[in-house]
Amino acid sequence: MKPHLVIPLIISLSFPAFSFAYGVKSGGDTSTNKQGSNAFSMPSNNLPISKRLDFSVGNSFFRNPWVQAPATTDARDGLGPLFNTNGCQNCHIKDGRGHPPEEGEDQAVSMLVRMSIPALTKQQTQQLIISGVIPEPTYGDQLEDFSIPNAKPEGKVKIEYTKFNVSFNDGAVIELRQPKLILHDLNYGELHPDTMLSARVAPPMIGLGLLESIPVETLKRLAQQQKEGRDGISGRLNQVWDAQTKTTVVGRFGWKAGQPTLIQQDAAAFNGDLGLTSTLFPYENCSPPQTICAELPNGNSQDEENVEVSNKILKFVEFYSQHLAVPIRRNTTEASVMRGQQLFESVGCVSCHTPEIKTAKRDGLPSLSNQTIHPYTDMLLHDMGTGLADNRPEFLASGTEWRTPPLWGIGYTKEVNGHTYFLHDGRARNLMEAVLWHGGEAQKSKQKVLSLSKSDRDALIAFLNSL
């Protein structure tokens, strides 16, 4: 139990003065010039020293493992009994991008599987307003493949790939791989026959507070401009349930923009991924047929909150999530990078990957306010075609729609995370594979990329790696 929260921390109050003599500050004044494996783990460069302690406290709860209750570590107990990981950093490795299991493996630590069934009744249709999906009756809306010692995990997941070739107009060939999810060793019964599955790797954590600070009016304007453009690009905003305000609002976070705010995104991850309750999600992540959550000890506090993740902890993690800096662009004056930027625009990628947006003024968050940023996203849902479809709706997002992911920092993926797996399920093994999976609204742009010469294709990738 945790009546008090005491966190002994020693931090250095000496911070280097960053120099931005080169490159472009993708995150405005928040941008960091940190490179290497910790490039995604720095606080916003304009965050005052007085607030860096809050950042460090949030980092400690994001980084350190949670444990089974009861425990002497009563500020971090209550893990599970069903979970995907025991710490946020295990999925968002070094605050970066997750990856799918390799072929033959069934340990999907930084990838999870969403599950749901179609809404068939009037009551279920009404439920969609709040939950966005109808959870699978036995396993809920997410497969938990780990458990505490006194429980059984829900099951295991592995991936098999079907591989096929795609040819460029000049005869060059690239191999793509189509994933197939396989759930096995299910411990709580059979899946509903109409279960829809969707694999999701953990996205990078950088710049999230800036994305949260983009005015709704700006996002609506982008959607309207696309609609009026009549070029086949027509993004739209997801509309999702806000657990704090008890209203339907614009969705911003998650692969289908299914969460409205960072604090709700964080609380949902604590609940679904770690099996931890909060005031936003006060119930354990067991479905009604799973009685283990009621039978085993929990880490709920003995105060009026009566949850495992207190509001105080949640606010620290929110602050940390809001203020992870975006690293600056690199190699921006190289001829190939400048040529690649021209191609990125000419083939139409900027129609969805919006290069420049300005954030709003936010009370209490001056570091994030009034920043001119370069996220390369419009935050809108787009139909990406049948190739990328998971065929699993989420609130207004259809089974073929995905939110445009921000591209800032994408060139740091290899040095931060040691891999170059991209897209929502990590199927793309490099940036060009990711480009060639685009379909639907992006089909015309993909066809233009297929017609590029080898030197132009290399320039396009050089530009993406400069972000």
Side-chain angles (χ1 to χ4, degrees), residues 378-389:
D378 57 10
M379 303 287 285
L380 303 177
L381 297 171
H382 291 275
D383 185 338
M384 298 304 293
T386 58
L388 278 180

Side-chain angles (χ1 to χ4, degrees), residues 32-66:
T32 176
N33 69 348
K34 182 70 174 178
Q35 300 188 36
S37 63
N38 292 317
F40 289 174
S41 299
M42 304 303 294
S44 298
N45 189 55
N46 61 348
L47 190 67
I49 291 177
S50 61
K51 290 294 185 180
R52 298 202 178 202
L53 178 59
D54 290 346
F55 181 88
S56 295
V57 173
N59 181 27
S60 73
F61 285 106
F62 192 87
R63 182 185 68 249
N64 293 327
W66 291 70

Side-chain angles (χ1 to χ4, degrees), residues 416-430:
V416 171
N417 295 127
H419 67 79
T420 54
Y421 294 135
F422 300 108
L423 300 178
H424 67 278
D425 52 13
R427 71 178 68 186
R429 293 161 292 187
N430 54 60

Side-chain angles (χ1 to χ4, degrees), residues 231-251:
D231 59 356
I233 304 299
S234 184
R236 61 177 183 151
L237 289 164
N238 205 349
Q239 298 289 329
V240 307
W241 186 254
D242 188 317
Q244 286 184 299
T245 63
K246 310 298 183 187
T247 58
T248 296
V249 300
V250 166

